[in-house]
Amino acid sequence: MAIYYFFAKVVSLANGSSAVASAAYRAAERLTDERLGRDHDFTSKAGVVHSQIMLPEGAPERLIDRETLWNAVEACEVRKDAQLARDFVAREFVVRGMIADLNVHWDKAADGSPKPHVHVMLSMREVGPDGFGQKERDWNSSELLQEWRRSWADQLNTRMAELGLDGCVDHRTLETLGIPLEPQHKIGAAGSRREMNGEDAERADDHMRMARENGDKIIADPAIALNAITHRQAAFTLRDLAQFVFRHNPRSVV
């Protein structure tokens, strides 16, 4: 089964995030966070099958070290709303001058099937022999993100064709495709724990609101779910369709 997924987010000081902690988790390493004065230890995390830092031409070699790299990134940021790093699956970053911290994870889904995916953390400032300089605002544009989404889909479809696999993936949003569903927040294990502790209440409420509204639309017209999953996955089973409906309808958990 081919599933198109291309997600971008900014690791920001404003919400208490740490680029060093994010890098430690993705690489399953123990890194010292100089800003927070603590270690982030994720050495017990399994499933990281490849880890690599890629430097653009002219970057100092010391930044090939993961701990040095992300502590240097945070040292550049002084504003509380500073954007530290972008985390998403993609290509064509290093040639633009970004430093890319690449980690390939090979996890398992709830049904035991393999769930390979890639995390790429990127620097957001120009870098030269003396280290980091000014921020490159163009790297954070929505137009460039759409270009990357389109490029990633093209790469997936080309590789699927080379392997003789049927179907293709589609990078276009639900809105662009005319599917009347609202994209919901991705709530991972850490997010679920925060919700159980009463944190991120506003985000959780917003997530449930979108799920209720999407559920009402699917109940009124079940073809919406079939249309949406058809564009999202090259092939799918009845179980996949059921999981899609479950995710977009909170009443299904009652």
Side-chain angles (χ1 to χ4, degrees):
M1 177 188 299
I3 300 176
Y4 183 82
Y5 184 72
F6 189 107
F7 176 68
K9 71 175 182 179
V10 173
V11 179
S12 172
L13 285 177
N15 58 21
S17 299
S18 163
V20 180
S22 296
Y25 173 79
R26 285 153 179 77
E29 292 185 0
R30 177 174 180 164
L31 303 179
T32 299
D33 192 322
E34 296 174 359
R35 177 173 63 88
L36 299 179
R38 56 168 293 190
D39 290 344
H40 303 288
D41 190 350
F42 292 96
T43 51
S44 62
K45 175 178 170 55
V48 180
V49 297
H50 180 77
S51 188
Q52 176 185 4
I53 291 177
M54 303 162 64
L55 299 180
E57 185 176 355
E61 285 297 319
R62 69 178 185 277
L63 297 181
I64 203 71
D65 175 76
R66 184 168 282 108
E67 185 174 279
T68 301
L69 166 62
W70 294 110
N71 274 297
V73 167
E74 292 208 333
C76 293
E77 311 297 341
V78 293
R79 293 170 49 194
K80 290 297 290 184
D81 63 346
Q83 296 179 342
L84 300 177
R86 200 177 326 189
D87 179 354
F88 56 88
V89 178
R91 64 173 183 166
E92 299 176 354
F93 303 126
V94 177
V95 294
R96 297 179 184 270
M98 302 176 188
I99 297 177
D101 188 348
L102 169 67
N103 292 279
V104 181
H105 291 189
W106 194 280
D107 298 334
K108 290 186 177 180
D111 61 0
S113 61
K115 190 177 67 174
H117 59 281
V118 179
H119 292 274
V120 184
M121 285 185 66
L122 303 170
S123 59
M124 299 179 68
R125 291 176 178 268
E126 62 182 22
V127 61
D130 297 327
F132 291 108
Q134 298 295 315
K135 280 193 175 182
E136 290 285 353
R137 303 291 180 182
D138 291 343
W139 292 348
N140 205 30
S141 71
S142 58
E143 292 81 6
L144 188 55
L145 174 58
Q146 292 307 312
E147 179 182 328
W148 284 328
R149 285 178 54 83
R150 186 165 49 250
S151 178
W152 180 244
D154 289 344
Q155 179 175 321
L156 287 178
N157 288 327
T158 298
R159 183 56 177 162
M160 288 171 62
E162 292 172 350
L163 295 174
L165 300 176
D166 294 331
C168 61
V169 296
D170 197 323
H171 70 282
R172 291 173 293 175
T173 64
L174 296 175
E175 181 181 8
T176 301
L177 293 169
I179 299 172
L181 296 178
E182 188 173 357
Q184 294 171 217
H185 302 306
K186 180 177 181 291
I187 305 293
S192 297
R193 287 193 296 270
R194 288 195 299 271
E195 289 179 18
M196 291 177 63
N197 294 331
E199 303 173 34
D200 291 346
E202 183 177 349
R203 179 181 174 87
D205 290 344
D206 194 40
H207 176 80
M208 292 301 295
R209 175 194 60 77
M210 288 187 287
R212 285 193 299 270
E213 293 177 358
N214 285 338
D216 289 341
K217 294 174 182 177
I218 292 174
I219 291 172
D221 183 4
I224 292 176
L226 182 61
N227 192 20
I229 198 171
T230 299
H231 283 90
R232 182 173 179 266
Q233 301 180 193
F236 60 90
T237 65
L238 183 60
R239 176 185 175 87
D240 297 323
L241 184 58
Q243 289 178 331
F244 180 89
V245 173
F246 179 88
R247 187 169 63 252
H248 289 83
N249 183 10
R251 283 173 290 276
S252 61
V253 303
V254 178

